[in-house]
Structure formats: C-alpha cells, structure tokens
Amino acid sequence: MKFGWFEVAALAAASVVNANDDLAYSPPFYPSPWADGQGEWAEVYKRAVDIVSQMTLTEKVNLTTGTGWQLERCVGQTGSVPRLNIPSLCLQDSPLGIRFSDYNSAFPAGVNVAATWDKTLAYLRGQAMGEEFSDKGIDVQLGPAAGPLGAHPDGGRNWEGFSPDPALTGVLFAETIRGIQDAGVIATAKHYILNEQEHFRQQPEAAGYGFNVSDSLSSNIDDKTMHELYLWPFADAVRAGVGAIMCSYNQINNSYGCENSETLNKLLKAELGFQGFVMSDWTAHHSGVGAALAGMDMSMPGDVTFDSGTSFWGANLTVGVLNGTIPQWRVDDMAVRIMAAYYKVGRDTKYTPPNFSSWTRDEYGFAHNHVSEGAYERVNEFVDVQRDHADLIRRIGAESTVLLKNKGALPLSRKEKLVALLGEDAGSNAWGANGCDDRGCDNGTLAMAWGSGTANFPYLVTPEQAIQNEVLQGRGNVFAVTDSWALDKIAAAARQASVSLVFVNSDSGEGYLSVDGNEGDRNNITLWKNGDNVVKTAANNCNNTVVIIHSVGPVLIDEWYDHPNVTGILWAGLPGQESGNSIADVLYGRVNPGAKSPFTWGKTRESYGSPLVKDANNGNGAPQSDFTQGVFIDYRHFDKFNETPIYEFGYGLSYTTFELSDLHVKPLNASQYTPTSGMTEAAKNFGETGDASEYVYPEGLERIHEFIYPWINSTDLKASSDDDNYGWEDSKYIPEGATDGSAQPRLPASGGAGGNPGLYEDLFRVSVKVKNTGNVAGYEVPQLYVSLGGPNEPKVVLRKFERLHLTPSQEVVWTTTLTRRDLANWDVSTQDWAVTPYPKTIYVGNSSRKLPLQASLPKAQ
C-alpha cells in the first residue's frame, strides 16, 4: 500500500513498539519533502534553483559529498563546481570557536551562555564567532548545539548546548544562529536528535571500549515527548533561518538518525518547514539509498570510514540517479538546499579560501595532507582573527557566573591581608593550555571541556594569575597551593588566610576520548581531583572560605555547601580564555553577578532520575535507551517527585536585591487556530541528467588517493557502483512511496518556519513590575512559568524570561507575550498542537521555585 505524507504521519501516532521484535520502531515517512523557498528563503531559493539548473549531475553530486577525512584543509569539505565559480565549502568545528586553528578566540561554552539568560549576549557571541570563522575562510560553522538537550545530568556533551529546559535553550540557540549567520557563515544546528549520551553513540567506538554490540544506541521516545521537549529548540532554530542541521550518530526508535525518515522527512522538513540542508555527523552516514530518500542532503566527511577511499555517495549517488534508483529531483533538492543556505548568509560575497590547515601548524605542507599528495604549498597563513573579542569573552565569563551562596563574604576588597588560592583548578596545566589534544585531560583550571566541541586557546588567564594581580595591587599577600592532594599544605595556608578561595571542577566531553576513566559521559557528578576534601580542609581551617566551581553541569555539594565556614559559593562553568579575569571581576565587585543556574542542583544523582545506559542491555544488538521519563527532566522531574534541590533551576543571587509585583494579564485578539491543509507543489527537476557517458572520469584527471569524486568508472553502471551492499542495485532498498515526486498533502502542524504560523500568534500580554530594592546596580531575570493544567503535565514549565539591568531604587515594567505554542500540548491523535481545556495558570518569579506572583488565564484556543 502506498502512503502519502499525511497517512504516514498518522502511523507515527501509533505505538513505537514493533510487535515483531518488541523493540521501539520508527514509522516510515516518504517521500522526502522538497524545498519550496517559503518565507525569508524565497529570494535565495530562486537563486539556488537558477544555479543548480545549470549544473551537470556530477556537479550537483560534488556539492553533496565530502572529499574525505584529512584530504583538504577543513574537517569537512565538499567538492566544488569551478565552471560556475562555486568553491569547495569548508565546514569546521566547533560551537565555541574554531577547532584545529591558530590566532583564534576560545569562547565560553554554551552552558555559560544559558547561565546569562541574556539574548543579546547570545547573539553577540554568535556574531563574534561567525566573524572569526569567516575570516579564516570557513563557510559552515558546526554549531551551535541543542542536542544533547540534557536528559541526563552526567551526559558528556551537555555543556556544548545550553540548558535542559527547551524554552531557555530554544531562545539562546536561535539568537546564536542569527549572530553566526549575520556574520556571513552558515550555522549548523546539532545534533539532531536525541543524542543524549556518549556511551554507545557509535558502534565502533563502543567496540573500542570492549563492548560487543552490533549497532549504535537507540534513543526510544514517544511522539508527545519528542515534540514538547527535544524538538522544541530545533523549531526555534528553523524559525531563526538556520542554514544547516546535523543529524546524529544514535538511532531514534531503532532507525539511524541520518536515515530516519520520520525525524528528517516528517518532523524537520514537512512539519517544521526546514529549507536548508541536512548533513551527517562525521561517519554517521550508514547507507546510500536509505539516507538519500530519508532526507539527508550532505555526507560528511564523505568517506564510509575515515580515509577508506570509499563513499556511500560520490560516484554511487551519480550511479543511483543514472540507474533510476534515486529520482533526479531528490539530488536536485539536495543541491538547491545547499546553495540556498550559501546565498542566504551572503557567503557568495564573503567567500575566501581557507587560510589554515586543520592537520598541521607548520606553514607549509601537502595540499592533501593524509596521503601527502598534491602541491607542497603554504597551508597556514597564520591569520589573526581575534579582533577585540577578548572583551566580550571576559564579559560573558563574568555575567555567566552564578552566585549560589553569599554570607557577607562577597564582594572582596583589595584590602584582604592574606589570600589563599587553593586547589588545582586555580592554576595552570603544566603541559600548557593546549597541552592535551582536544582538551582531553583535566589538568589545571577547567575553562573548556573536551572533544570536537573545543578550540585551541590563544592564551588562558588562570584564576591564580588574575587574583594574584588583584591582591598585589592592594599590597596584600597571596599564596597558592594547587596540589589538590597536599591537604596538609592546604590546611596550613587556610589557617593563615583572611579569605580562602577554593577552586574545584568536574569535567566531561566527547566519547572518543576517555579522561580518568570517564568515557565522555561522567562516571558520577562528584567533584574531580579530590575537590570535596580540598573544600572541607579549607573550611575546617578558615572561617571565610569561598568556593568557585568550574564544571560542565551540576555537581554534588551536599557534603559541604552548608558548612558554616563556607561563606560563598559561585559556579563559573566553562568560561573560556579570560577565565581568571572573569571570576576576578565578580569576586571584586566590578561585575554584580546576575546569572541564574541553567540546571538544577540535586542532593544525589538519583534525585534526577533518567540514568544513563552504560551496559549493553540488548545482548549484542543495539543498546536501548527508553525515554520513559517523558518530559520530566531536570526541574520538571524534581517537581513531579517532590525532590527538594539544594539550588533550583533559575536560581542565582546578586549583590543587590529585587522585588517583583503587580502582575497583569491582557487577552489579545488572536485569530482562531487553523490546521494547515492543501497540497504541496510537485517536485521539480532542474536541468537535464543526460546519459552515463557524460559522467565518466575525465581524461587526464590526476586522481588523489582516497579522495572522493563524483565521476563513474565506466558506462557499466553496475560495475561503477563501489559496492552492491550500499543498495544501489536492489529495489528492496526503496521504501514505498519514497520516489514519488507528485504533490503531497500538507501536515496540519506545518505551514511556515517552525511549524504552523498560528502557533506563534500572541494570545496574552503579561506585565510585571521589577524593582531594585538594594544599594548597587545589577541584573535581575524575571521568569514566567506556565502550568498547563493536565493530569500528567509538569507542575510548571518555563516559557518567557528577560535579563534586566536596574540601578538602585529603579523600577521598570517588564512586558512579554504568550503565544499559542506556549500554552499548547502535542495531540498525538490529530498530529497537531492544541490548547487543552484544562485551566492554565501563569507564575512569575526569579527561579523555578520562587514564584510569588500568579494569575489564571482565560480560556484560549
């Protein structure tokens, strides 16, 4: 039976369990939607169609396929179309700066941006990163991240994203994307989707750790949770006009992320209306036909495995079109999506060739590094792209520092007689700031975690350096003990000190690196490097002990947070290159802390629920991670199970005080919500394909070993296919309806960027007075939460927030609006959003558990 888009969507509402094997099952959704240039994409879509219409088949294929790992300068590069002056596109990590480069900045991590709750800072950081990427000749930044969202507090890469709350993440995700793309670089929203842990994310990686599993982990989820939690920030990314989305390593309901037709074709392209291109994570491409028909548009880095010299696409994709396995419109759509994103950010006017090599810091090297072939040329031009971004980095580092406890200890003055700096985290990495590849160690102060989401430091100002400078300017004494196991020395220093500043940390990262036995994910959420004992030793010997935590997320502080001699606690996250200066600005009062915790601080790991899957729980098959917690992660989980946190989500102190009052709600005249209906246009072919003789390797072409080309070996298409196992010759690889280019029914929840435009209509205007009742200027973050009222809904969910600066005694009125989306739930039966009849209540305060103001909302639809 042949299914159209809507019929297959209805199947998605059914159980995700496959009765045949009792494993979660991802329903099919075909064909892959073709871009139509809706909204702000209209002009660039037309330009893309025009240029793609002039391309040959192999030129289109060249845009879709990377040239191979370490075969050119960037971590990923597409082929080029010289005849039409379209260059090879350079794709480069990471979400916090340029990986594998030089004379670049090392920005604070995404989790720090979340702690600022500041839309402007998110935008400025994105713009600054985009400027640096552009200046280095990079076309596509592989960031920002909203996956992992943070289902597990010990997930290894949570810090690359923002927060386990989808609304906070979505807003800052979108602002970061706008900043990057306004600087002329294509942003990549990643990792799509449910890439929530490092254990088992890739089968070969798991095998390297001794696990005998056949496939990568499957994240198993229901339709409602997917929409209300994990898909939410990606909808915001699409509304922000993001040019690229990276599909993830893991499986979703036992279908790989880069060939999952439900998540790519249905959710992303048909429902959210994504007009850009989907790229694979590096070697997350598992099939030729399957990935193409399921909606993937670009294979990265192009080879099947690093430096295999083979590709699922490249020449195989050319063969697939020529033999009719893949319709021409599907490859045309891939190319149009790529070129539309290129034009959308103005990359055609800003393009410059990459002026650095990812693979060497030497000035000269081979053009094709891995195989030492091609011209021996200048590969590193040592272009300084830092501009004045250090000022912004220092500002974000300070303004993302959360003040968790202050018993009159802070701010410090320069009149302190003797300051003790205690703990390894205060000092330098003895091997240098970049002494560990991809920051794969926890030596010295923690300013960046590990993995591909990193950048080289241009320098790293440690807390020891910055605070010593402060003390010396006040003519005080300062001593540091940075051996965290020398507890007798720590005790001796603390006994003499008028204030002890204790620096501790907790690290994590990407799964290809194991640090102190932590295989990406944290083994626990305790402090590293003897941190608890350092704090307790200092506190037992100094009655004025201030603790500064650099961490990737929450840590357990139950052993000492309420110690009477612990007079201050600050969380400084992963602040980047200006780390020491940023914390000094807060400690000495130049910056009044206004940050709020972007996650919950629980008393135990168990209080969070949602354990990681760390064992092969499905025999030698794909490990199964069942998201049975639904939408109840982080503060939602704590609220549901009446767990009392130490510090709640959204909590943060200031050197001043604030008061919120006078909550008012005004209904707005919104139109009735109308599900989208009607049909799409039919798919179009752009240009003519021709016959196989036009696509044989050009005569005289000097082939580079292991380089991925789009040309075929001969007109014998079967012989030209690299491997029959890739599925190019067998019709069993063609799902029902997958090659149907006829007009398709539109989904009810579709119709615009991010979904049905009616979702984003304002239903209510809300206002509240915010007053600074203290003696110094500072920032407050009013937070609006909603109770959706249903029997199995979270107690409250964050929906709106703003960071406001107020001088002493100043009072302002904060006004915001609530959209239909803010008040709706996903209705599985209708496959659409709906405002349920349950009563809706709003709460306003300055944390998820300090909500003094509340109001009932009139009924809305």
Side-chain angles (χ1 to χ4, degrees):
M1 182 177 180
K2 182 177 177 180
F3 294 105
W5 289 359
F6 184 76
E7 287 81 5
V8 175
L11 290 177
S15 170
V16 295
V17 175
N18 184 336
N20 294 330
D21 55 17
D22 202 33
L23 293 178
Y25 170 69
S26 185
F29 187 92
Y30 295 98
S32 182
W34 36 93
D36 59 7
Q38 66 180 5
E40 63 181 21
W41 289 80
E43 181 180 347
V44 296
Y45 172 78
K46 291 177 182 177
R47 291 185 64 191
V49 167
D50 179 68
I51 197 74
V52 170
S53 298
Q54 301 174 53
M55 293 180 189
T56 66
L57 173 60
T58 47
E59 287 171 335
K60 297 168 188 174
V61 169
N62 229 18
L63 290 179
T64 70
T65 310
T67 57
W69 180 245
Q70 295 190 13
L71 268 297
E72 296 195 74
R73 294 191 185 186
C74 305
V75 296
Q77 281 190 241
T78 67
S80 59
V81 186
R83 183 177 65 86
L84 298 175
N85 296 315
I86 299 171
S88 167
L89 301 187
C90 167
L91 294 77
Q92 193 75 8
D93 295 309
S94 78
L96 58 66
I98 305 170
R99 185 186 183 204
F100 294 154
S101 182
D102 47 35
Y103 300 99
N104 56 267
S105 300
F107 290 84
V111 69
N112 281 66
V113 177
T116 70
W117 295 58
D118 192 313
K119 302 165 190 175
T120 299
L121 286 180
Y123 176 87
L124 291 174
R125 173 177 171 271
Q127 184 181 50
M129 289 193 298
E131 289 170 350
E132 295 199 8
F133 276 74
S134 183
D135 289 349
K136 279 289 186 181
I138 298 163
D139 305 297
V140 183
Q141 178 177 351
L142 301 177
L149 181 67
H152 318 288
D154 38 8
R157 299 181 77 177
N158 292 354
W159 56 273
E160 292 186 38
F162 298 92
S163 164
D165 181 83
L168 179 58
T169 287
V171 169
L172 302 177
F173 196 37
E175 290 300 327
T176 305
I177 287 163
R178 291 187 180 99
I180 292 168
Q181 297 198 160
D182 283 352
V185 171
I186 298 169
T188 306
K190 67 179 192 180
H191 306 84
Y192 183 79
I193 194 169
L194 304 186
N195 192 166
E196 294 292 318
Q197 67 171 70
E198 294 303 284
H199 281 75
F200 305 113
R201 66 177 187 145
Q202 294 189 84
Q203 182 275 331
E205 189 173 274
Y209 288 123
F211 291 100
N212 178 26
V213 295
S214 60
D215 285 285
S216 303
L217 174 134
S218 178
S219 296
N220 304 326
I221 195 168
D222 64 277
D223 195 29
K224 183 177 188 292
T225 300
M226 173 70 92
H227 279 83
E228 295 183 7
L229 201 62
Y230 300 97
L231 189 65
W232 185 287
F234 285 96
D236 289 328
V238 173
R239 279 183 63 78
V242 70
I245 287 180
M246 181 189 292
C247 51
S248 54
Y249 285 123
N250 56 290
Q251 299 188 75
I252 301 103
N253 294 330
N254 289 289
S255 173
Y256 274 104
C258 290
E259 55 187 44
N260 187 305
S261 63
E262 184 183 27
T263 58
L264 298 182
N265 285 346
K266 174 180 180 283
L267 299 183
L268 183 60
K269 291 184 173 180
E271 184 179 311
L272 298 187
F274 177 55
Q275 299 291 303
F277 63 94
V278 175
M279 75 175 77
S280 69
D281 204 339
W282 271 229
T283 69
H285 191 175
H286 290 275
S287 68
V289 174
L293 297 178
M296 201 181 86
D297 303 302
M298 181 185 287
S299 175
M300 277 291 142
D303 30 24
V304 173
T305 58
F306 288 170
D307 304 313
S308 65
T310 59
S311 177
F312 287 113
W313 283 5
N316 275 323
L317 189 53
T318 303
V319 169
V321 176
L322 291 173
N323 70 13
T325 307
I326 301 293
Q328 181 190 328
W329 61 257
R330 176 75 271 265
V331 175
D332 288 353
D333 183 58
M334 297 175 189
V336 165
R337 288 173 175 273
I338 293 166
M339 291 308 303
Y342 183 77
Y343 291 136
K344 187 176 189 297
V345 302
R347 197 68 206 146
D348 54 319
T349 65
K350 290 182 176 289
Y351 175 78
T352 183
N355 51 45
F356 72 102
S357 170
S358 298
W359 320 119
T360 178
R361 298 275 59 80
D362 294 340
E363 184 173 2
Y364 289 88
F366 287 100
H368 306 292
N369 176 272
H370 177 69
V371 292
S372 298
E373 293 180 16
Y376 192 81
E377 60 188 18
R378 192 181 187 203
V379 294
N380 279 308
E381 299 175 30
F382 308 115
V383 177
D384 187 338
V385 300
Q386 297 168 87
R387 304 192 186 196
D388 59 355
H389 295 155
D391 294 340
L392 176 64
I393 291 167
R394 180 172 179 168
R395 178 184 172 191
I396 295 173
E399 296 192 9
S400 61
T401 300
V402 183
L403 181 60
L404 297 170
K405 179 180 181 179
N406 186 20
K407 296 302 182 182
L410 300 172
L412 301 174
S413 75
R414 287 179 175 169
K415 295 180 181 180
E416 292 291 344
K417 188 173 181 180
L418 194 154
V419 177
L421 299 172
L422 307 174
E424 181 176 332
D425 186 71
S428 299
N429 180 351
W431 301 344
N434 297 317
C436 305
D437 291 345
D438 282 337
R439 315 296 80 75
C441 64
D442 187 43
N443 301 344
T445 196
L446 181 65
M448 184 188 301
W450 78 75
S452 66
T454 61
N456 285 338
F457 288 107
Y459 58 82
L460 175 55
V461 179
T462 69
E464 180 183 7
Q465 292 166 337
I467 294 168
Q468 177 172 284
N469 184 58
E470 298 282 348
V471 176
L472 294 181
Q473 289 186 50
R475 303 180 69 84
N477 286 195
V478 58
F479 298 97
V481 181
T482 56
D483 183 341
S484 290
W485 281 268
L487 297 180
D488 57 338
K489 305 297 183 183
I490 288 170
R495 276 194 297 271
Q496 302 174 58
S498 55
V499 60
S500 292
L501 302 178
V502 181
F503 287 84
V504 291
N505 70 38
S506 180
D507 203 356
S508 72
E510 192 169 358
Y512 68 90
L513 292 170
S514 178
V515 178
D516 294 342
N518 295 265
E519 297 165 0
D521 302 315
R522 289 189 281 173
N523 291 337
N524 49 57
I525 58 172
T526 59
L527 292 171
W528 289 30
K529 299 295 181 76
N530 207 30
D532 288 315
N533 287 327
V534 173
V535 173
K536 289 186 287 185
T537 299
N540 288 338
N541 288 277
C542 178
N543 65 3
N544 189 17
T545 297
V546 177
V547 182
I548 298 94
I549 303 167
H550 289 115
S551 77
V552 293
V555 293
L556 300 181
I557 59 176
D558 55 298
E559 293 184 20
W560 50 262
Y561 81 97
D562 58 354
H563 191 295
N565 290 344
V566 173
T567 53
I569 305 173
L570 302 102
W571 178 82
L574 304 169
Q577 69 192 46
E578 290 282 325
S579 175
N581 288 332
S582 294
I583 195 63
D585 286 342
V586 174
L587 289 172
Y588 287 90
R590 289 186 294 272
V591 172
N592 183 354
K596 304 289 184 178
S597 181
F599 46 75
T600 299
W601 297 72
K603 295 177 180 178
T604 66
R605 170 58 182 90
E606 291 71 27
S607 64
Y608 291 86
S610 188
L612 290 165
V613 175
K614 292 188 176 180
D615 298 312
N617 61 6
N618 185 33
N620 64 356
Q624 303 290 304
S625 178
D626 297 323
F627 284 44
T628 54
Q629 67 273 15
V631 299
F632 296 99
I633 67 172
D634 199 75
Y635 71 91
R636 302 169 179 218
H637 178 89
F638 280 75
D639 289 346
K640 179 180 176 68
F641 293 97
N642 295 315
E643 291 277 356
T644 301
I646 294 176
Y647 300 116
E648 68 268 24
F649 172 82
Y651 173 86
L653 301 175
S654 170
Y655 296 155
T656 189
T657 55
F658 298 94
E659 181 181 85
L660 282 69
S661 63
D662 292 350
L663 174 63
H664 291 285
V665 177
K666 179 181 179 181
L668 302 175
N669 295 321
S671 58
Q672 185 84 11
Y673 179 75
T674 304
T676 297
S677 59
M679 304 290 286
T680 71
E681 293 184 351
K684 297 182 178 68
N685 291 335
F686 303 118
E688 300 296 328
T689 294
D691 61 42
S693 63
E694 300 175 38
Y695 303 115
V696 176
Y697 273 92
E699 290 186 15
L701 174 70
E702 180 183 354
R703 296 198 196 188
I704 302 298
H705 286 89
E706 300 178 10
F707 198 93
I708 306 302
Y709 295 100
W711 296 292
I712 58 179
N713 291 312
S714 73
T715 55
D716 183 338
L717 298 181
K718 186 172 179 61
S720 288
S721 179
D722 283 347
D723 188 337
D724 286 347
N725 292 328
Y726 295 172
W728 295 104
E729 296 296 330
D730 196 331
S731 60
K732 73 180 182 181
Y733 287 86
I734 310 300
E736 189 76 26
T739 61
D740 180 5
S742 64
Q744 300 290 319
R746 297 187 184 276
L747 300 182
S750 71
N756 191 312
L759 292 174
Y760 300 96
E761 285 187 86
D762 292 329
L763 302 187
F764 298 98
R765 180 174 292 114
V766 179
S767 65
V768 64
K769 289 181 180 178
V770 184
K771 184 175 182 178
N772 183 340
T773 55
N775 298 319
V776 295
Y779 286 96
E780 178 60 303
V781 181
Q783 303 163 35
L784 188 157
Y785 294 78
V786 174
S787 169
L788 296 170
N792 194 32
E793 297 299 329
K795 181 179 178 182
V796 293
V797 290
L798 178 70
R799 284 298 182 253
K800 300 293 181 179
F801 60 90
E802 196 70 59
R803 192 166 189 261
L804 305 173
H805 185 267
L806 289 89
T807 57
S809 300
Q810 183 182 4
E811 182 176 80
V812 299
V813 176
W814 172 55
T815 301
T816 188
T817 57
L818 288 168
T819 66
R820 183 173 281 108
R821 180 197 190 205
D822 291 326
L823 303 175
N825 289 106
W826 181 253
D827 188 319
V828 173
S829 61
T830 63
Q831 287 292 284
D832 202 359
W833 293 92
V835 178
T836 68
Y838 297 106
K840 308 289 187 275
T841 307
I842 63 168
Y843 301 85
V844 178
N846 57 13
S847 79
S848 64
R849 293 205 167 189
K850 189 178 180 183
L851 299 168
L853 307 178
Q854 71 176 75
S856 297
L857 295 180
K859 187 175 181 181
Q861 294 184 0

